[in-house]
Amino acid sequence: MCSIVEDDFGDEGGAHTMKEESPAPAISATTDGDELCRKCTVNPSVLKLNLKEPQCRECFLHYVRHKFRASLGATKIVRRGSRVLVVFNGCAENVVMLDMIRYGLQQESFKKLRIEPVVVFVSEDHVGREDGERLGVVQEKECVAVEDSDLLERYSEERARFNKILSGFKSATSKQDFIVQNRKQTLKVIAKRLECPYVFLSDIGLDLAKTLLSNVALGRGRSLALDIAFCDDRDEQHKIIRPMRDLNPDEIANYLKHADNELSYITLEDPFKDKPSLQNLTCKFVDGLQRTYPSTVSTVFRTGDKMSCETVKPTPEHDADQDLLSLFDKSLRLDNGSTSVRCKFCHSALDFHGSTTLFATEFSRMVSSRINVELSHEAIVESSKRMEEDARRRVNGEEVEGGDGEEDDMVQLRRELCHSCRNMFVEFSGE
């Protein structure tokens, strides 16, 4: 039986009765070299991962590379000889993934990684940074050779348009969510242009644990399983693959230290990391868990594997070449007779039909804005009945009686957006 009694809970709840995991090092311990590797029992050990036996350099590299290859081989989603878009941004996880792909391509025929990688450098210097700052750091550290370095100048109009839309959001939460969703759709467009049916991302387990909790807070529960899955197949023609999802920060740090070649990387900085947002609070919470209770982070991440998501086939209006930014500058004309089953922006299944949770939220908002304390009891009852119908219609994306012109313009858009994307558009001012 539980030995914690009611008196054990003070102002801090039961937190003082919980003990931190021991050991919980920031990085794995380094051995003195006198102990042999427990795997091969030949070479001296050079490191000891948390909850693992001491390992030599060769056994450690084989272990980490096997986890990467096993994730690809177990699912058999990526077909032999396929062109794969490898997204590169210079971060540590990205560099490790690129080195593992290089190693796999150099193996003998039996162990060779049979894909055709197409590496695309993705820079977001236009978001809160000086032009070309990240590209300059990447070239200075020689992470990868970048021949065409004038891309920022070539697409100056697109950058200005993107920044104008980004500045239209009031909160950092919506700005960060907008960047993430826009990045996914942009990668799919690039994959289509380069004829790559697969896109490799370097998200590890810690990143996906943050994504899981953040998306719950943002109201993206309907697409949560795909957002952290090994394969995001919302677009069957261009699937997003996460082959690094089984690795942890400890293994990434040691791979960079013991790799065959000297690997350089850069630290990515979120321009909104110092702003108050749901994503930043979630990341801070998960990082704290990683330092004190690392196994809990793995449990959070693995919980997502037990979730399922409704598969929705794309419709003709969800073409990959669609300009998603036109939804914000109102240059896209929507079909009033459209009956979409996927969100126009994030392409996840629509989640608002018949939602009692969204109905309760919308009804509460209407009560706060419409009910006047000076009204009689009969008037309040009559108004409540009308608000119930209006709340139901608004949740389902239908026209609300007595709405103004601006509201009527948003009726069709609300009908084609999921709950979280609706929240972004409601907050967007466009000024």
Side-chain angles (χ1 to χ4, degrees):
M1 297 180 62
C2 180
S3 60
I4 299 178
V5 295
E6 187 173 329
D7 293 338
D8 291 329
F9 292 87
D11 295 336
E12 299 179 354
H16 64 286
T17 65
M18 301 175 63
K19 296 181 179 180
E20 294 185 0
E21 293 182 2
S22 179
I27 59 175
S28 61
T30 302
T31 62
D32 56 9
D34 296 335
E35 186 176 2
L36 292 179
C37 172
R38 298 293 181 86
K39 183 69 175 179
C40 64
T41 66
V42 176
N43 299 320
S45 61
V46 296
L47 60 92
K48 182 182 182 302
L49 297 174
N50 189 28
L51 303 179
K52 297 288 184 181
E53 298 290 345
Q55 293 177 301
C56 65
R57 172 180 170 276
E58 290 75 13
C59 290
F60 166 73
L61 293 178
H62 175 75
Y63 163 73
V64 177
R65 287 165 177 164
H66 176 72
K67 292 179 71 173
F68 171 77
R69 294 293 297 272
S71 64
L72 294 172
T75 57
K76 297 182 179 179
I77 294 177
V78 181
R79 298 181 179 179
R80 293 164 61 95
S82 300
R83 286 172 60 88
V84 175
L85 182 70
V86 181
V87 180
F88 180 78
N89 57 16
C91 69
E93 297 83 2
N94 228 216
V95 172
V96 169
M97 182 178 70
L98 205 60
D99 187 73
M100 288 184 177
I101 294 176
R102 175 201 60 80
Y103 179 82
L105 295 174
Q106 295 177 348
Q107 296 303 294
E108 299 177 355
S109 57
F110 178 72
K111 298 182 180 180
K112 187 174 183 179
L113 183 61
R114 300 189 178 278
I115 61 173
E116 182 182 346
V118 179
V119 181
V120 174
F121 175 71
V122 178
S123 174
E124 294 179 358
D125 287 343
H126 57 282
V127 182
R129 300 181 181 88
E130 295 296 332
D131 292 349
E133 178 182 336
R134 185 188 304 181
L135 180 60
V137 174
V138 170
Q139 291 176 327
E140 179 182 352
K141 290 181 173 291
E142 298 181 352
C143 296
V144 66
V146 182
E147 298 179 358
D148 192 355
S149 59
D150 63 341
L151 295 178
L152 291 175
E153 298 179 359
R154 186 184 305 176
Y155 298 101
S156 58
E157 294 183 3
E158 286 79 0
R159 289 171 48 215
R161 182 189 180 199
F162 180 89
N163 287 330
K164 180 180 179 181
I165 293 176
L166 190 64
S167 62
F169 294 104
K170 300 177 182 178
S171 68
T173 297
S174 295
K175 290 181 179 180
Q176 289 176 307
D177 193 19
F178 170 75
I179 292 175
V180 170
Q181 301 306 322
N182 185 73
R183 182 190 299 123
K184 288 182 181 179
Q185 305 309 325
T186 301
L187 292 177
K188 291 180 181 179
V189 172
I190 297 175
K192 181 177 181 179
R193 298 290 177 86
L194 298 178
E195 299 181 352
C196 299
Y198 306 100
V199 179
F200 275 16
L201 300 182
S202 58
D203 298 333
I204 61 175
L206 178 64
D207 300 325
L208 298 179
K210 295 177 181 178
T211 300
L212 188 151
L213 296 180
S214 296
N215 284 8
V216 170
L218 291 172
R220 295 192 177 275
R222 191 69 175 269
S223 61
L224 187 59
L226 292 176
D227 290 331
I228 64 173
F230 173 80
C231 175
D232 184 345
D233 58 355
R234 268 173 279 198
D235 186 346
E236 296 182 354
Q237 302 299 321
H238 307 94
K239 300 178 180 179
I240 295 179
I241 307 297
R242 302 179 179 91
M244 304 280 288
R245 68 195 301 268
D246 292 328
L247 275 66
N248 57 51
D250 195 6
E251 293 165 343
I252 295 295
N254 279 282
Y255 190 96
L256 292 169
K257 182 179 180 180
H258 299 286
D260 299 331
N261 304 314
E262 182 179 356
L263 301 180
S264 300
Y265 65 94
I266 62 176
T267 302
L268 301 184
E269 296 291 343
D270 187 341
F272 305 107
K273 71 173 185 177
D274 297 329
K275 306 294 183 179
S277 71
L278 292 175
Q279 295 93 326
N280 290 342
L281 290 175
T282 302
C283 290
K284 184 178 180 180
F285 170 71
V286 176
D287 287 337
L289 285 180
Q290 179 65 25
R291 290 190 297 269
T292 55
Y293 308 100
S295 60
T296 304
V297 176
S298 177
T299 302
V300 172
F301 158 57
R302 294 300 175 187
T303 301
D305 294 339
K306 303 177 182 180
M307 299 179 181
S308 60
C309 184
E310 178 184 358
T311 302
V312 181
K313 294 183 178 180
T315 51
E317 60 266 21
H318 287 107
D319 184 57
D321 289 331
Q322 174 183 295
D323 183 9
L324 296 176
L325 297 183
S326 60
L327 289 171
F328 292 88
D329 57 23
K330 299 181 180 181
S331 61
L332 178 66
R333 299 301 177 187
L334 301 176
D335 182 10
N336 291 331
S338 174
T339 56
S340 300
V341 293
R342 301 207 311 175
C343 177
K344 199 77 172 178
F345 188 60
C346 69
H347 292 180
S348 60
L350 295 180
D351 55 0
F352 56 81
H353 293 290
S355 173
T356 56
T357 302
L358 296 182
F359 168 79
T361 302
E362 185 62 32
F363 180 75
S364 177
R365 187 192 67 81
M366 288 186 175
V367 169
S368 300
S369 60
R370 296 185 183 183
I371 294 297
N372 191 328
V373 294
E374 297 180 356
L375 294 177
S376 63
H377 175 72
E378 293 75 11
I380 292 178
V381 172
E382 182 65 26
S383 180
S384 298
K385 294 180 180 179
R386 186 167 57 253
M387 284 189 295
E388 287 183 9
E389 180 63 21
D390 289 346
R392 183 193 64 80
R393 296 178 66 86
R394 184 182 289 273
V395 167
N396 292 331
E398 300 174 4
E399 185 176 358
V400 178
E401 183 179 355
D404 53 22
E406 182 179 0
E407 184 180 31
D408 294 338
D409 293 338
M410 288 290 293
V411 169
Q412 182 59 31
L413 187 57
R414 286 200 303 268
R415 196 176 292 139
E416 300 192 30
L417 294 175
C418 66
H419 168 62
S420 185
C421 290
R422 279 187 185 182
N423 291 338
M424 280 198 300
F425 275 85
V426 168
E427 181 183 314
F428 179 72
S429 63
E431 299 177 354

Coordinates of all heavy atoms in Angstrom, one line a residue, residues 345-399:
F345 N -4.7 24.4 -43.7 CA -3.3 24.9 -43.4 C -2.4 23.7 -43.0 O -1.3 23.6 -43.6 CB -3.4 25.9 -42.3 CG -2.0 26.6 -42.0 CD1 -1.4 27.3 -43.0 CD2 -1.4 26.6 -40.8 CE1 -0.2 27.9 -42.8 CE2 -0.2 27.2 -40.6 CZ 0.4 27.9 -41.6
C346 N -2.7 23.0 -41.9 CA -1.8 21.9 -41.4 C -2.1 20.5 -42.0 O -1.3 19.6 -41.8 CB -1.9 21.8 -39.9 SG -3.4 21.2 -39.3
H347 N -3.2 20.4 -42.8 CA -3.5 19.2 -43.5 C -3.8 18.0 -42.5 O -3.7 16.8 -43.0 CB -2.4 18.7 -44.5 CG -2.2 19.7 -45.6 ND1 -1.3 19.5 -46.6 CD2 -2.9 20.8 -45.9 CE1 -1.4 20.5 -47.5 NE2 -2.3 21.3 -47.1
S348 N -4.2 18.3 -41.3 CA -4.6 17.2 -40.4 C -6.1 17.1 -40.5 O -6.8 17.9 -41.1 CB -4.2 17.5 -39.0 OG -4.8 18.7 -38.5
A349 N -6.7 16.0 -40.0 CA -8.1 15.8 -40.0 C -8.9 16.8 -39.2 O -8.4 17.2 -38.1 CB -8.5 14.4 -39.5
L350 N -10.0 17.3 -39.7 CA -10.8 18.3 -39.0 C -11.3 17.7 -37.7 O -11.8 16.6 -37.7 CB -11.9 18.9 -39.9 CG -11.4 19.6 -41.2 CD1 -12.6 20.1 -42.0 CD2 -10.6 20.8 -40.8
D351 N -11.3 18.5 -36.7 CA -11.6 17.9 -35.3 C -12.7 18.7 -34.6 O -12.9 18.4 -33.4 CB -10.3 18.0 -34.5 CG -9.7 19.4 -34.4 OD1 -10.3 20.3 -35.0 OD2 -8.7 19.6 -33.7
F352 N -13.4 19.5 -35.3 CA -14.4 20.3 -34.6 C -15.8 19.8 -34.6 O -16.7 20.2 -33.9 CB -14.4 21.8 -35.1 CG -14.6 21.9 -36.6 CD1 -15.9 21.9 -37.1 CD2 -13.5 22.1 -37.4 CE1 -16.1 22.0 -38.4 CE2 -13.7 22.2 -38.8 CZ -15.0 22.2 -39.3
H353 N -16.2 18.9 -35.6 CA -17.5 18.5 -35.8 C -18.1 17.8 -34.5 O -17.6 16.8 -34.1 CB -17.6 17.6 -36.9 CG -17.4 18.2 -38.3 ND1 -18.2 19.1 -38.8 CD2 -16.3 18.1 -39.1 CE1 -17.7 19.6 -40.0 NE2 -16.6 19.0 -40.2
G354 N -19.1 18.4 -33.9 CA -19.8 17.8 -32.8 C -19.0 17.8 -31.5 O -19.2 17.0 -30.6
S355 N -17.9 18.6 -31.4 CA -17.1 18.6 -30.2 C -17.8 19.3 -29.1 O -18.1 20.5 -29.1 CB -15.7 19.3 -30.5 OG -15.0 19.5 -29.4
T356 N -18.0 18.6 -28.0 CA -18.7 19.2 -26.8 C -17.7 20.1 -26.1 O -18.1 21.1 -25.4 CB -19.1 18.1 -25.9 OG1 -18.0 17.2 -25.5 CG2 -20.2 17.2 -26.5
T357 N -16.4 19.8 -26.1 CA -15.4 20.7 -25.5 C -15.4 22.0 -26.1 O -15.4 23.1 -25.4 CB -14.0 20.0 -25.5 OG1 -14.1 18.7 -24.9 CG2 -13.0 20.9 -24.8
L358 N -15.3 22.1 -27.5 CA -15.2 23.4 -28.2 C -16.6 24.1 -28.0 O -16.6 25.3 -27.9 CB -15.0 23.1 -29.6 CG -13.6 22.5 -30.0 CD1 -13.4 22.4 -31.5 CD2 -12.5 23.3 -29.4
F359 N -17.7 23.4 -27.9 CA -19.0 24.0 -27.7 C -19.0 24.7 -26.4 O -19.5 25.8 -26.2 CB -20.1 23.0 -27.8 CG -21.4 23.5 -27.3 CD1 -22.2 24.3 -28.2 CD2 -21.9 23.2 -26.1 CE1 -23.4 24.8 -27.7 CE2 -23.1 23.6 -25.6 CZ -23.9 24.4 -26.4
A360 N -18.5 24.0 -25.3 CA -18.5 24.6 -24.0 C -17.7 25.9 -23.9 O -18.0 26.9 -23.3 CB -18.1 23.6 -23.0
T361 N -16.5 25.8 -24.6 CA -15.6 27.0 -24.6 C -16.3 28.1 -25.3 O -16.2 29.3 -24.9 CB -14.3 26.6 -25.3 OG1 -13.7 25.5 -24.6 CG2 -13.3 27.8 -25.3
E362 N -16.9 27.9 -26.5 CA -17.5 28.9 -27.3 C -18.7 29.5 -26.6 O -18.9 30.7 -26.6 CB -17.9 28.4 -28.7 CG -18.4 29.4 -29.6 CD -17.4 30.5 -29.9 OE1 -16.2 30.2 -29.9 OE2 -17.8 31.7 -30.1
F363 N -19.5 28.6 -25.9 CA -20.7 29.1 -25.2 C -20.3 30.0 -24.0 O -20.9 31.0 -23.8 CB -21.5 27.9 -24.7 CG -22.7 28.3 -23.9 CD1 -23.8 28.8 -24.6 CD2 -22.7 28.2 -22.6 CE1 -25.0 29.1 -23.9 CE2 -23.9 28.5 -21.9 CZ -25.0 29.0 -22.5
S364 N -19.2 29.6 -23.3 CA -18.7 30.4 -22.2 C -18.2 31.8 -22.7 O -18.5 32.8 -22.1 CB -17.6 29.7 -21.5 OG -17.0 30.5 -20.5
R365 N -17.6 31.8 -23.9 CA -17.1 33.1 -24.4 C -18.3 34.0 -24.8 O -18.3 35.2 -24.5 CB -16.3 32.8 -25.7 CG -15.6 34.1 -26.2 CD -15.0 33.8 -27.6 NE -16.1 33.6 -28.5 CZ -16.8 34.5 -29.1 NH1 -16.6 35.8 -28.8 NH2 -17.8 34.3 -30.0
M366 N -19.3 33.4 -25.3 CA -20.5 34.2 -25.7 C -21.2 34.7 -24.5 O -21.7 35.9 -24.5 CB -21.5 33.3 -26.5 CG -21.0 33.1 -27.9 SD -22.2 32.2 -28.9 CE -21.4 32.2 -30.5
V367 N -21.3 33.9 -23.4 CA -22.0 34.3 -22.2 C -21.2 35.6 -21.6 O -21.9 36.5 -21.2 CB -22.0 33.2 -21.2 CG1 -22.5 33.7 -19.8 CG2 -23.0 32.1 -21.6
S368 N -19.9 35.5 -21.6 CA -19.1 36.6 -21.1 C -19.3 37.9 -21.9 O -19.2 39.0 -21.3 CB -17.6 36.2 -21.0 OG -17.5 35.0 -20.2
S369 N -19.5 37.8 -23.2 CA -19.6 39.0 -24.0 C -21.0 39.5 -24.2 O -21.2 40.7 -24.6 CB -18.9 38.7 -25.4 OG -19.6 37.6 -26.0
R370 N -22.0 38.6 -24.1 CA -23.4 39.1 -24.4 C -24.3 39.3 -23.2 O -25.2 40.1 -23.3 CB -24.0 38.0 -25.3 CG -23.4 37.8 -26.7 CD -24.2 36.9 -27.5 NE -23.5 36.6 -28.8 CZ -24.1 35.9 -29.8 NH1 -25.3 35.3 -29.5 NH2 -23.4 35.7 -30.9
I371 N -24.1 38.6 -22.1 CA -25.0 38.7 -21.0 C -24.7 39.9 -20.2 O -23.6 40.2 -19.8 CB -24.9 37.4 -20.1 CG1 -25.3 36.2 -20.8 CG2 -25.7 37.6 -18.8 CD1 -26.8 36.3 -21.2
N372 N -25.8 40.7 -19.9 CA -25.7 41.9 -19.2 C -26.4 41.7 -17.8 O -27.5 41.1 -17.8 CB -26.3 43.1 -19.9 CG -26.0 44.4 -19.3 OD1 -25.9 44.5 -18.1 ND2 -25.9 45.4 -20.1
V373 N -25.8 42.1 -16.7 CA -26.4 41.8 -15.4 C -27.7 42.6 -15.2 O -28.5 42.2 -14.3 CB -25.4 42.2 -14.3 CG1 -24.2 41.4 -14.3 CG2 -25.0 43.7 -14.4
E374 N -27.9 43.6 -16.0 CA -29.2 44.4 -15.9 C -30.3 43.7 -16.6 O -31.5 44.2 -16.5 CB -28.9 45.8 -16.4 CG -27.9 46.6 -15.7 CD -27.7 47.9 -16.3 OE1 -28.3 48.3 -17.3 OE2 -26.9 48.7 -15.7
L375 N -30.1 42.6 -17.4 CA -31.2 42.0 -18.1 C -32.1 41.2 -17.1 O -31.6 40.8 -16.0 CB -30.6 41.0 -19.1 CG -29.8 41.6 -20.3 CD1 -29.3 40.5 -21.2 CD2 -30.7 42.5 -21.1
S376 N -33.3 41.1 -17.4 CA -34.3 40.3 -16.6 C -34.0 38.8 -16.7 O -33.3 38.4 -17.7 CB -35.7 40.6 -17.0 OG -35.9 40.2 -18.4
H377 N -34.6 38.0 -15.8 CA -34.4 36.6 -15.8 C -34.9 36.0 -17.1 O -34.2 35.1 -17.7 CB -35.1 36.0 -14.6 CG -35.0 34.5 -14.7 ND1 -33.9 33.8 -14.4 CD2 -36.0 33.5 -14.9 CE1 -34.2 32.5 -14.5 NE2 -35.4 32.3 -14.8
E378 N -36.1 36.4 -17.6 CA -36.7 35.9 -18.8 C -35.8 36.2 -20.0 O -35.6 35.4 -20.9 CB -38.1 36.5 -19.0 CG -39.1 36.0 -18.0 CD -38.9 36.7 -16.7 OE1 -38.2 37.7 -16.6 OE2 -39.6 36.3 -15.7
A379 N -35.2 37.4 -20.1 CA -34.3 37.8 -21.2 C -33.0 37.0 -21.2 O -32.5 36.6 -22.3 CB -34.0 39.3 -21.1
I380 N -32.5 36.7 -20.0 CA -31.3 35.9 -19.9 C -31.6 34.5 -20.4 O -30.7 33.9 -21.1 CB -30.7 35.9 -18.5 CG1 -30.2 37.3 -18.1 CG2 -29.6 34.9 -18.3 CD1 -29.7 37.4 -16.7
V381 N -32.7 33.9 -20.0 CA -33.1 32.6 -20.5 C -33.2 32.5 -22.0 O -32.7 31.6 -22.7 CB -34.3 32.1 -19.8 CG1 -34.8 30.8 -20.4 CG2 -34.1 31.9 -18.3
E382 N -33.9 33.5 -22.5 CA -34.1 33.5 -24.0 C -32.8 33.7 -24.7 O -32.5 33.1 -25.7 CB -35.0 34.7 -24.3 CG -35.4 34.8 -25.8 CD -36.1 33.6 -26.3 OE1 -36.8 32.9 -25.5 OE2 -36.0 33.3 -27.6
S383 N -31.9 34.6 -24.2 CA -30.6 34.8 -24.8 C -29.7 33.6 -24.7 O -28.9 33.3 -25.6 CB -29.9 36.0 -24.1 OG -28.6 36.3 -24.6
S384 N -29.8 32.8 -23.6 CA -29.0 31.6 -23.5 C -29.4 30.6 -24.5 O -28.5 29.9 -25.1 CB -29.2 31.0 -22.1 OG -28.8 31.9 -21.1
K385 N -30.7 30.5 -24.8 CA -31.1 29.5 -25.9 C -30.5 29.9 -27.2 O -30.1 29.1 -28.0 CB -32.6 29.4 -25.9 CG -33.2 28.9 -24.7 CD -34.8 28.8 -24.8 CE -35.4 28.2 -23.5 NZ -36.9 28.2 -23.6
R386 N -30.5 31.2 -27.5 CA -30.0 31.7 -28.7 C -28.5 31.5 -28.8 O -27.9 31.2 -29.8 CB -30.4 33.1 -28.9 CG -30.0 33.7 -30.3 CD -30.6 35.0 -30.6 NE -30.3 36.0 -29.6 CZ -31.2 36.5 -28.7 NH1 -32.4 36.0 -28.6 NH2 -30.8 37.4 -27.8
M387 N -27.8 31.7 -27.7 CA -26.3 31.5 -27.6 C -25.9 30.1 -27.8 O -24.9 29.8 -28.4 CB -25.8 32.1 -26.3 CG -25.7 33.6 -26.3 SD -24.9 34.3 -24.8 CE -25.9 33.7 -23.5
E388 N -26.7 29.2 -27.3 CA -26.4 27.7 -27.5 C -26.4 27.4 -29.0 O -25.5 26.7 -29.4 CB -27.5 26.9 -26.7 CG -27.3 26.9 -25.2 CD -28.3 26.0 -24.6 OE1 -29.0 25.2 -25.3 OE2 -28.4 26.0 -23.3
E389 N -27.4 27.9 -29.7 CA -27.5 27.6 -31.1 C -26.3 28.3 -31.9 O -25.7 27.7 -32.8 CB -28.8 28.1 -31.7 CG -29.0 27.8 -33.2 CD -28.9 26.4 -33.6 OE1 -29.1 25.5 -32.7 OE2 -28.7 26.1 -34.7
D390 N -26.0 29.5 -31.5 CA -24.9 30.3 -32.1 C -23.6 29.6 -31.8 O -22.7 29.5 -32.7 CB -24.9 31.7 -31.6 CG -26.1 32.5 -32.1 OD1 -26.7 32.1 -33.1 OD2 -26.3 33.6 -31.6
A391 N -23.4 29.1 -30.6 CA -22.1 28.4 -30.3 C -22.0 27.2 -31.1 O -20.9 26.8 -31.6 CB -22.1 28.1 -28.8
R392 N -23.1 26.4 -31.2 CA -23.0 25.2 -32.0 C -22.7 25.5 -33.5 O -21.8 24.8 -34.1 CB -24.3 24.4 -31.9 CG -24.4 23.1 -32.7 CD -25.8 22.6 -32.8 NE -26.6 23.5 -33.6 CZ -26.5 23.4 -35.0 NH1 -25.7 22.6 -35.6 NH2 -27.3 24.3 -35.7
R393 N -23.3 26.5 -34.0 CA -23.0 26.9 -35.4 C -21.6 27.4 -35.6 O -21.0 27.0 -36.6 CB -24.0 27.9 -35.9 CG -25.5 27.4 -35.9 CD -26.4 28.6 -36.3 NE -26.2 29.0 -37.7 CZ -26.8 28.4 -38.7 NH1 -27.6 27.3 -38.5 NH2 -26.5 28.8 -40.0
R394 N -21.1 28.1 -34.7 CA -19.8 28.7 -34.8 C -18.7 27.5 -34.7 O -17.8 27.5 -35.5 CB -19.5 29.7 -33.7 CG -18.1 30.4 -33.9 CD -17.9 31.4 -32.8 NE -18.7 32.5 -32.9 CZ -18.4 33.6 -33.6 NH1 -17.2 33.6 -34.3 NH2 -19.2 34.6 -33.7
V395 N -18.9 26.6 -33.8 CA -18.0 25.5 -33.7 C -18.0 24.7 -35.0 O -16.9 24.2 -35.4 CB -18.4 24.6 -32.5 CG1 -17.7 23.2 -32.6 CG2 -18.1 25.3 -31.2
N396 N -19.1 24.5 -35.6 CA -19.2 23.7 -36.9 C -18.8 24.5 -38.1 O -19.0 24.0 -39.2 CB -20.6 23.1 -37.0 CG -20.8 22.0 -36.0 OD1 -19.9 21.3 -35.5 ND2 -22.1 21.8 -35.6
G397 N -18.4 25.8 -37.9 CA -18.0 26.6 -39.0 C -19.2 27.1 -39.8 O -19.0 27.4 -41.0
E398 N -20.4 27.2 -39.2 CA -21.5 27.7 -40.0 C -21.8 29.2 -39.7 O -21.2 29.8 -38.7 CB -22.8 26.9 -39.5 CG -22.6 25.4 -39.8 CD -23.8 24.6 -39.3 OE1 -24.7 25.2 -38.7 OE2 -23.8 23.4 -39.3
E399 N -22.5 29.8 -40.5 CA -22.8 31.3 -40.3 C -23.7 31.5 -39.1 O -24.7 30.8 -38.9 CB -23.5 31.8 -41.6 CG -23.7 33.3 -41.6 CD -24.3 33.8 -42.9 OE1 -24.5 33.0 -43.8 OE2 -24.5 35.0 -43.0

